[in-house]
Amino acid sequence: ESFMVKKPDAKRSGAIEALRRTCRMGLMLCGTPAPNSPTDIVHQFNMADGGITFSESTITGDLDKDRLNIESCIDQRGAYLRRLKSAVLPELPVKNFQVVQIPLDGEQASLYREASHALQLELQKLDNEMFCRSLAWYFHRRAALLQLCVNPRLIDPLYSSEPAKHKVLDGILDHQLSLGKKIVIWSVYRGDIDDIEARYQAHGVVRIDGSIPSSDRSQIVDRSQNDPLIKVFVGNP
């Protein structure tokens, strides 16, 4: 996975680069070569071709300029082959999306209305300049609204009602399990993953998030796929 050597000053990159110098040919393979920034891809090319593709380029730190420069270098000198998932794995089933809109109710709805109204009042006091200086504060408050929508216990540990999404999830999960299917549940926040894991223990649950060591994850995936007693996988993207 060549993304693992995208940073030229990393120890792993240095070790692979030393190995590369002993090889007559190098092929770099990657599923997501540049997930964060166009510059992620530069050292992967350098590792494969010894710097030929980007021999005449300079990374400026200006994202837009660097993107154009990187695209130009790859088009003119880069040697690469791109294969889409649809071509490599044509047997994969078509994705089906069903969006379920879940209205908040009861205490959860009240908490959200109060937090949303308080944020609106505070924003009305700010001009554009003050708002730009307060972006970190704003994004923190906006994230709190999202947490209230997902699971109010992320904000208030004493919250005792059932989050609206969990109540709907119960029905979806029961229906899918009745069809003999295994279930993958994604949640953004670790605290909500804790609640979901505890909620569905009776069905057999495994989880992977930032709290799970990398060394344990392959075994967990294997269990979720092959152990008939494990019906639910809970993860954080």
Side-chain angles (χ1 to χ4, degrees):
E1 174 54 69
S2 67
F3 174 72
M4 301 298 289
V5 294
K6 69 183 180 70
K7 295 182 178 180
D9 54 349
K11 290 183 178 180
R12 181 189 289 112
S13 299
I16 299 299
E17 192 168 4
L19 178 63
R20 172 68 183 94
R21 288 195 291 267
T22 69
C23 304
R24 184 174 60 85
M25 179 182 294
L27 299 175
M28 307 296 289
L29 304 180
C30 192
T32 52
N36 300 317
S37 167
T39 58
D40 288 349
I41 205 169
V42 173
H43 192 249
Q44 296 170 70
F45 266 90
N46 290 345
M47 192 83 78
D49 64 17
I52 293 175
T53 300
F54 293 102
S55 59
E56 300 177 10
S57 70
T58 300
I59 302 301
T60 66
D62 184 314
L63 185 61
D64 292 329
K65 290 182 180 179
D66 286 340
R67 179 184 291 110
L68 294 174
N69 183 29
I70 290 169
E71 288 179 357
S72 176
C73 289
I74 292 175
D75 289 341
Q76 293 177 24
R77 294 182 294 277
Y80 70 95
L81 183 64
R82 185 184 184 197
R83 287 286 185 261
L84 299 178
K85 187 182 294 183
S86 58
V88 179
L89 298 171
E91 71 278 9
L92 286 179
V94 175
K95 293 180 180 179
N96 293 304
F97 295 92
Q98 180 180 359
V99 178
V100 180
Q101 296 185 342
I102 303 169
L104 303 182
D105 57 14
E107 184 184 359
Q108 186 174 12
S110 297
L111 289 170
Y112 182 86
R113 283 195 299 268
E114 291 172 8
S116 176
H117 182 63
L119 178 58
Q120 291 178 45
L121 291 177
E122 293 183 52
L123 287 174
Q124 290 172 3
K125 302 175 184 177
L126 305 178
D127 58 27
N128 287 340
E129 182 178 349
M130 294 170 64
F131 176 74
C132 290
R133 293 201 303 266
S134 306
L135 283 178
W137 163 83
Y138 167 71
F139 285 120
H140 176 75
R141 294 292 295 273
R142 191 179 71 167
L145 291 176
L146 177 58
Q147 289 174 308
L148 287 172
C149 288
V150 172
N151 186 340
R153 275 189 286 275
L154 298 169
I155 298 293
D156 181 5
L158 299 180
Y159 179 83
S160 58
S161 301
E162 296 294 345
K165 288 185 177 183
H166 288 193
K167 289 185 284 188
V168 174
L169 182 60
D170 286 347
I172 295 173
L173 186 122
D174 287 344
H175 173 68
Q176 294 299 322
L177 291 179
S178 72
L179 300 176
K181 296 182 179 181
K182 289 177 178 279
I183 308 298
V184 176
I185 302 175
W186 296 107
S187 186
V188 176
Y189 298 104
R190 185 180 300 176
D192 192 49
I193 292 177
D194 292 339
D195 277 9
I196 292 172
E197 182 183 25
R199 190 178 187 89
Y200 300 124
Q201 275 296 326
H203 298 296
V205 181
V206 292
R207 69 184 280 175
I208 290 181
D209 63 0
S211 67
I212 305 299
S214 298
S215 57
D216 296 342
R217 297 183 184 186
S218 294
Q219 182 181 4
I220 292 172
V221 170
D222 182 69
R223 285 190 66 203
S224 72
Q225 293 175 334
N226 299 308
D227 187 339
L229 298 179
I230 300 299
K231 302 296 186 181
V232 181
F233 173 96
V234 187
N236 183 322

